[in-house]
């Protein structure tokens, strides 16, 4: 049965079961209430008082009867008999008139019978009084005969109330009511126990069903926790249908479901009984494949690519379905932690998507690189906190000169340098990437701003240098708050606004033209310039020039490389420079000129500025200050 259908049936069955139990309990409670409504009008206190009143009547009539017998035998006192008469008289009065005896009067025909008995009882009062004046024996025997009738009436009254059908019915009604309440309690308890057992079983099966993806029927993400080890001869593959989200938005649910079912069938054809296939997210799967004898990891990936690439007919159009892969495996000869390698495969899949590659392999070399990045991240955290660390960040400055005169320094670019343990040099790009991916990009940018201010203010204040200092903006800095950061870390520290040139790389510019242009529009009036760095290396260079209001274009070194050995490359660079000079920017900078031949070739291509090893290598701030101080007498070194 289809899993989704099973879930719907289970949900409906559970709901129906709960409704039936609740309706049953409510119905039983209503029925019990209706049966007990009459009994509920009788309180136990009223019943107790009624029983006590009649019992007292019986007891006091017995005492009167005994006193009368004694008088009749000439051994009793008339005064004692009169006292018993008064007591019994008071009991009749109590039963007929008191509020407490109302329940007794209301039962059966008690009130009429009590009035009749009381009337007869009062009738013997005259005979009792004769006992004080006439012979006791004669009158007491007559009185005793009258009393026998009275006593039989009292006895019948007691019989009717304690033994008769009505009383039995009342007592039986109470007993039945208690039985019904007890049964209702047991039924409620049984129902609760039944529901709890049912819900526990339902939860068990629900969890079991929840471990199965309803669309593909494969184990879901919850099953990942069951996998503890990755066997040493296994390849772990994270797989995602390419452009799955676009597919979901463009096609209806049934079409997407059909595509996934075909995709899953193709993945299953790659697996054997020893392999594992899971559907962990919409459009995303995990495969744990055992390598066959003689099969390499590359063979495994190529087989997966081939199986998961197919054409899908949609109306009159044909579209290609394919997948992206992230692969993780270990060269170790023992099993590895599955959760750890699953993270590696997911990381590789993310890299495949960002780099638009069919697959990315996370092997032992990638693991070594990841461990290095994690170590660098921890050290960067310590560095930005001002704590002790072996990581050292510093700035160097590469002069920018005129193509007409290598000694005419028009500015310089601040470049990041990083060393770690044992003075190992680390790529600045790696540092920037780690900071960007781990939320430290803003801290890195502010640190660079602050260092430039501390090191370069003296060049402008004391040496009178009027060139520009170019500062690269990492992606995290390109936000509205950049205006406050420039004011706080550059301008407020004494760096002239006219000396600042902020460089945006093409990749950074792709983030958000609107935000960047707002920042440029805010800072430009103060004299700050903006440059588009690495021009020509992106996919939309001309679009960036059109969209961004920059003052400078810096042509990437890739266009300069080998122009002295390749005439075609030289002509292409000349066309790029010509295009840049016609793109409504004021300055063009050519990066990467390394030798004299390249210098002379570029010199013939137009009026540009140059940055490269042929003019100057990157200098420390001390070396830069010494260079500018030596040229201080030559005023042309201090012209823009």
């Amino acid at each position: 049965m289809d899993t989704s259908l099973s879930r719907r049936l289970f949900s409906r069955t559970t709901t129906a079961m709960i409704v039936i139990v609740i309706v049953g309990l409510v119905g039983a409670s209503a029925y019990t209430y209706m049966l007990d409504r009459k009994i509920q009008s009788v309180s136990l206190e009223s019943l107790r008082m009624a029983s006590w009143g009649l019992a007292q009547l019986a007891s006091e009539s017995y005492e009167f009867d005994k006193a009368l017998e004694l008088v009749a035998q000439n051994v009793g006192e008339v005064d004692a008999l009169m006292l018993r008469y008064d007591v019994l008289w008071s009991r009749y009065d109590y039963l007929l008139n008191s509020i407490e005896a109302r329940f007794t009067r209301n039962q059966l025909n008690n009130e009429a019978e009590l009035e009749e008995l009381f009337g007869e009882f009062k009738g013997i009062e005259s005979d009792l009084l004769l006992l004080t004046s006439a012979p006791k024996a004669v009158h007491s025997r007559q009185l005793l005969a009258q009393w026998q009738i009275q006593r039989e009436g009292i006895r019948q009254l007691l019989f009717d109330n304690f033994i008769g059908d009505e009383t039995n019915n009342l007592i039986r009604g109470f007993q039945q009511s208690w039985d019904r309440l007890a049964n209702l309690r047991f039924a409620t308890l049984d129902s609760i126990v039944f529901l709890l057992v049912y819900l526990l079983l339902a939860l068990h099966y629900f969890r079991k069903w929840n471990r199965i993806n309803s669309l593909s029927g494969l184990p879901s993400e919850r099953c990942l926790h069951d996998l503890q080890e990755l066997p040493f001869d296994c390849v772990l593959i994270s797989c995602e249908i390419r452009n799955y989200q676009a597919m979901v938005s463009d096609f209806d649910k049934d079409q997407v479901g059909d595509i996934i079912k075909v995709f899953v069938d193709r993945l299953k054809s790659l697996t054997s009984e020893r392999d594992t296939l899971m559907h962990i997210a919409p459009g995303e799967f995990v495969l744990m494949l055992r390598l066959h004898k003689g099969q390499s990891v590359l063979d495994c990936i190529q087989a997966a690519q081939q199986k998961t690439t197919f054409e899908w007919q949609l109306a009159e159009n044909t579209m290609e379905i394919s997948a992206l892969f992230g692969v993780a495996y270990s060269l170790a000869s023992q099993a590895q932690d599955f959760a750890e390698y699953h993270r590696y495969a997911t990381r590789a899949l993310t890299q495949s998507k960002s780099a638009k590659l069919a697959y990315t392999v996370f092997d032992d070399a990638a693991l070594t690189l990841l461990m290095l990045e994690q170590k660098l991240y921890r050290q960067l955290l310590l560095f930005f906190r001002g704590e002790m660390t072996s990581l050292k960040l510093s700035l160097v400055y590469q002069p920018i000169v005129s193509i007409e005169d290598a000694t005419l320094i028009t500015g310089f670019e601040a470049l990041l340098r990083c060393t770690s343990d044992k003075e190992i040099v680390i790529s600045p790009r790696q540092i920037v990437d780690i900071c960007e991916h781990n939320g430290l990009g803003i801290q890195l940018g502010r640190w660079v701003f602050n260092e430039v201010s501390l090191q370069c203010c003296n060049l402008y204040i004391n040496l009178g240098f009027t060139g520009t200092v170019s500062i690269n903006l990492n992606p995290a800095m390109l936000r509205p708050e950049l205006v406050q950061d420039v004011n706080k870390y550059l301008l407020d520290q004494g760096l002239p606004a006219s000396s600042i040139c902020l460089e945006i790389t093409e990749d950074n510019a792709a983030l958000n033209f609107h935000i960047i242009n707002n920042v440029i529009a805010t800072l430009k009036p103060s004299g700050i310039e903006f440059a588009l760095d690495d021009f020509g290396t992106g996919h939309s260079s001309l679009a960036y020039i059109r969209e961004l209001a920059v003052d400078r274009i810096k042509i990437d070194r890739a266009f300069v490389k080998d122009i002295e050995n390749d005439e075609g490359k030289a002509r292409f660079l000349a066309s790029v420079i010509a295009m840049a000079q016609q793109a409504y920017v004021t300055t063009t900078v050519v990066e990467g000129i390394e030798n004299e031949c390249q210098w002379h070739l570029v010199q013939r291509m137009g009026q540009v500025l140059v940055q490269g090893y042929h003019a100057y290598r990157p200098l420390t701030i001390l070396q830069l200050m010494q260079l500018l101080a030596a040229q201080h007498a030559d005023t042309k070194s201090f012209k823009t």
Side-chain angles (χ1 to χ4, degrees), residues 224-340:
L224 288 174
H225 304 293
D226 298 337
L227 301 175
Q228 303 298 324
E229 292 185 342
L230 176 71
F232 70 91
D233 59 345
C234 268
V235 176
L236 186 62
I237 301 176
S238 283
C239 169
E240 183 177 298
I241 299 177
R242 194 188 298 266
N243 299 324
Y244 177 77
Q245 295 301 327
M247 186 187 304
V248 171
S249 62
D250 293 342
F251 305 151
D252 61 44
K253 185 178 179 180
D254 292 337
Q255 291 173 332
V256 174
D258 291 340
I259 292 174
I260 288 180
K261 288 176 182 177
V262 174
F263 190 88
V264 168
D265 289 340
R266 288 175 167 266
L267 286 177
K268 286 181 178 178
S269 67
L270 294 168
T271 62
S272 64
E273 293 181 356
R274 304 170 61 212
D275 302 324
T276 301
L277 173 60
M278 290 179 285
H279 191 171
I280 64 170
E284 189 172 343
F285 305 84
V286 167
L287 296 93
M288 193 166 68
L289 302 179
R290 296 287 184 103
L291 292 175
H292 304 301
K293 187 175 181 179
Q295 185 184 29
S296 67
V297 174
L298 184 59
D299 293 336
C300 185
I301 299 172
Q302 289 175 342
Q305 279 185 283
Q306 182 179 2
K307 284 290 186 181
T308 56
T309 301
F310 58 94
E311 290 185 345
W312 185 263
Q313 191 69 33
L314 186 65
E316 297 179 355
N317 300 320
T318 300
M319 64 177 296
E320 183 179 85
I321 306 297
S322 60
L324 299 171
F325 298 92
V327 184
Y329 70 97
S330 174
L331 299 177
S333 59
Q334 69 274 0
Q336 301 294 324
D337 180 66
F338 174 84
E340 183 177 7

Side-chain angles (χ1 to χ4, degrees), residues 188-202:
T188 303
L189 181 61
D190 291 343
S191 299
I192 291 174
V193 171
F194 172 77
L195 280 179
L196 286 176
V197 172
Y198 179 82
L199 290 175
L200 287 174
L201 292 174

Side-chain angles (χ1 to χ4, degrees), residues 1-12 209 214:
M1 183 183 292
D2 182 63
T3 307
S4 60
L5 179 59
S6 298
R7 290 181 178 177
R8 289 196 296 271
L9 289 176
F10 165 73
S11 177
R12 292 174 182 175
W209 287 335
S214 60

Side-chain angles (χ1 to χ4, degrees), residues 169-207:
N169 290 337
L170 183 61
I171 295 173
R172 192 181 301 113
F174 274 110
Q175 186 62 48
Q176 290 175 348
S177 176
W178 293 332
D179 291 342
R180 283 193 294 270
L181 290 175
N183 292 334
L184 184 60
R185 285 195 294 269
F186 282 121
T188 303
L189 181 61
D190 291 343
S191 299
I192 291 174
V193 171
F194 172 77
L195 280 179
L196 286 176
V197 172
Y198 179 82
L199 290 175
L200 287 174
L201 292 174
L203 178 62
H204 170 74
Y205 285 105
F206 179 76
R207 291 181 63 184

Side-chain angles (χ1 to χ4, degrees), residues 77-119:
E77 296 293 333
V78 176
D79 291 340
L81 179 62
M82 293 301 295
L83 178 62
R84 291 301 172 187
Y85 176 83
D86 291 339
V87 170
L88 189 56
W89 196 95
S90 298
R91 179 59 54 192
Y92 273 120
D93 182 67
Y94 170 81
L95 290 174
L96 286 169
N97 298 306
S98 69
I99 297 176
E100 292 82 357
R102 183 173 53 188
F103 176 75
T104 305
R105 295 193 297 272
N106 293 337
Q107 300 301 312
L108 306 176
N109 194 30
N110 287 347
E111 186 171 9
E113 291 183 8
L114 283 169
E115 289 179 348
E116 183 179 353
L117 288 172
F118 190 30

Side-chain angles (χ1 to χ4, degrees), residues 106-154:
N106 293 337
Q107 300 301 312
L108 306 176
N109 194 30
N110 287 347
E111 186 171 9
E113 291 183 8
L114 283 169
E115 289 179 348
E116 183 179 353
L117 288 172
F118 190 30
E120 293 174 355
F121 183 68
K122 287 189 291 184
I124 66 174
E125 181 178 4
S126 58
D127 294 330
L128 282 174
L129 295 175
L130 289 176
L131 290 176
T132 59
S133 59
K136 295 181 180 178
V138 176
H139 288 288
S140 60
R141 282 193 296 271
Q142 294 176 354
L143 185 61
L144 187 60
Q146 295 177 2
W147 169 248
Q148 292 299 326
I149 299 173
Q150 175 80 192
R151 186 171 60 183
E152 287 300 320
I154 294 174

Side-chain angles (χ1 to χ4, degrees), residues 349-450:
L349 178 60
T350 301
Q351 292 176 348
S352 297
K353 289 190 286 188
S354 61
K356 298 182 179 179
L357 299 174
Y359 67 88
T360 300
V361 178
F362 192 97
D363 52 14
D364 288 352
L367 177 59
T368 301
L369 178 60
L370 175 62
M371 294 176 64
L372 174 61
E373 290 180 354
Q374 291 174 343
K375 179 181 179 181
L376 289 174
Y377 169 65
R378 291 191 295 269
Q379 291 179 335
L380 283 166
L381 283 175
L382 295 175
F383 179 84
F384 290 131
R385 291 172 186 165
E387 300 178 21
M388 292 294 295
T389 174
S390 59
L391 186 71
K392 297 178 182 178
L393 296 183
S394 60
L395 295 180
V396 294
Y397 302 89
Q398 187 173 30
I400 300 172
V401 300
S402 170
I403 192 66
E404 300 297 327
D405 185 353
T407 64
L408 181 58
I409 300 175
T410 63
F412 46 85
E413 181 181 0
L415 302 172
L416 181 66
R417 294 292 181 264
C418 180
T419 57
S420 187
D421 301 330
K422 299 178 182 179
E423 299 301 316
I424 298 175
V425 177
I426 301 171
S427 166
R429 171 54 59 186
Q430 188 175 17
I431 295 296
V432 172
D433 288 344
I434 292 174
C435 289
E436 286 295 314
H437 294 153
N438 294 280
L440 299 177
I442 294 176
Q443 289 177 267
L444 176 62
R446 289 173 175 173
W447 179 85
V448 170
F449 279 3
N450 195 57

